Amino acid sequence: MTDTTVTLTGTGTPLPVPGRAGPGTLVRRGDWAAQVDAGRGTVLRLAELGLGCPDIGLLALTHHHSDHLVGVADLVLTRWVQGGFDPLPVLAPEGPTARFARRLLDGWADDIEIRRRHTGRPAPQGPDVLAFDPPAAPAVVWRSADAEVSAVSVRHEPVEPAVAYRFDTPSGAVVVSGDTRVCAEVEALARGADVLVHEACRGAAVRERGKRFIADYHADTVELGAMAERAGVGTLVLTHLEPAPRTDEDAAAFASEVRRGGYTGRLLVGEDRLTVPAGEPAVQHG
């Protein structure tokens, strides 16, 4: 039995859809937990999973699109309210994403001051921003006793920089794509991974709805299937689903297109709170 798991804390996009929080992925090994991105509703999803914000030992941000970041201040401030007074380590590519993290608490100064004076608790420390230059090829950007984290630049132009992350633990390897087109960079990062959590866009369906600009910088499902097969990924988990599936038939269409691309491994169309133990059967929380 593995002790490395992946949980989708949010599978949505900028448009609100009932039951789908904003983009986010939780990677856990034993008592250690890392959150990748924090879209709307992330703190509530963590609470539903039995986690407090102080339980998060690392936050890794992929890029500066608002749907991936609007829950970050909630995570940091709630961490403080729940008694987490140490700064939260935040991995971020240097540029707009790192600048956002450094300025995170600026707009909350008055709220923080009145809470500090009223409760007597120390003021929160801002995030410990661990900025790195986005690498063109997979490179290690952070290490701990629980995980080695690598990153690579991805193809989400005109949003630059944007990165994907790989978590290598003693009991499994997990890759989270962030937002990107299907690209060789993620393929290299994901080679041999136990679990690849990748955004998915039904390109033809999106273009039919007149949203070509969305399809142009997100991952086409058919191309994704081919890439995941080449990379030898054990389990492919689809998230950031566009257009958002509202029926079982919609979800089946995502899976069908990935299979049409050639992927033969275990395939899961993501729902919020879906948990995937690396190398073990998936579990859907009730």
Side-chain angles (χ1 to χ4, degrees):
M1 172 71 83
T2 180
D3 67 349
T4 298
T5 62
V6 188
T7 301
L8 303 181
T9 57
T11 57
T13 64
L15 296 178
V17 173
R20 295 190 183 273
T25 304
L26 178 71
V27 180
R28 285 190 279 186
R29 177 177 180 256
D31 293 331
W32 181 79
Q35 178 73 28
V36 181
D37 291 335
R40 70 170 66 92
T42 295
V43 168
L44 294 177
R45 287 287 182 259
L46 292 175
E48 291 164 356
L49 294 164
L51 290 174
C53 294
D55 295 324
I56 302 301
L58 177 71
L59 174 64
L61 302 178
T62 62
H63 65 295
H64 57 284
H65 259 157
S66 60
D67 57 315
H68 292 251
L69 301 179
V70 294
V72 176
D74 189 14
L75 177 61
V76 171
L77 289 169
T78 305
R79 174 188 179 90
W80 175 54
V81 170
Q82 291 178 331
F85 300 123
D86 56 322
L88 175 65
V90 176
L91 274 177
E94 190 59 83
T97 311
R99 287 198 296 272
F100 164 84
R102 293 184 184 111
R103 300 167 180 168
L104 182 68
L105 297 184
D106 289 358
W108 297 97
D110 292 333
D111 172 69
I112 289 168
E113 176 58 19
I114 194 64
R115 289 181 187 274
R116 187 193 63 77
R117 285 192 283 124
H118 183 226
T119 63
R121 65 167 61 103
Q125 300 183 54
D128 179 13
V129 181
L130 310 172
F132 59 90
D133 293 326
V140 175
V141 294
W142 189 85
R143 287 187 178 92
S144 75
D146 295 285
E148 180 178 85
V149 181
S150 301
V152 73
S153 295
V154 299
R155 305 302 301 273
H156 194 42
E157 297 91 342
V159 181
E160 296 179 306
V163 300
Y165 290 102
R166 176 175 177 133
F167 295 78
D168 282 291
T169 80
S171 54
V174 175
V175 174
V176 182
S177 73
D179 281 6
T180 179
R181 304 197 306 272
V182 173
C183 63
E185 291 85 349
V186 173
E187 183 173 341
L189 188 70
R191 192 155 289 125
D194 295 286
V195 180
L196 169 60
V197 178
H198 204 292
E199 69 130 277
C201 175
R202 296 181 58 221
V206 169
R207 289 185 175 92
E208 287 174 2
R209 300 181 184 195
K211 299 292 182 70
R212 173 174 292 276
F213 74 95
I214 293 176
D216 286 348
Y217 73 160
H218 287 291
D220 178 78
T221 42
V222 178
E223 295 177 13
L224 175 57
M227 184 272 281
E229 183 71 12
R230 291 193 303 268
V233 170
T235 297
L236 175 60
V237 182
L238 308 183
T239 191
H240 199 279
L241 302 166
E242 185 69 52
R246 296 175 183 270
T247 66
D248 291 344
E249 289 76 16
D250 291 342
F254 277 88
S256 176
E257 291 180 9
V258 171
R259 293 299 189 196
R260 182 149 51 91
Y263 183 63
T264 59
R266 186 166 60 136
L267 174 61
L268 300 168
V269 179
E271 297 180 0
D272 286 22
R273 298 188 295 166
L274 176 73
T275 294
V276 184
E280 298 288 341
V283 175
Q284 174 64 50
H285 289 272

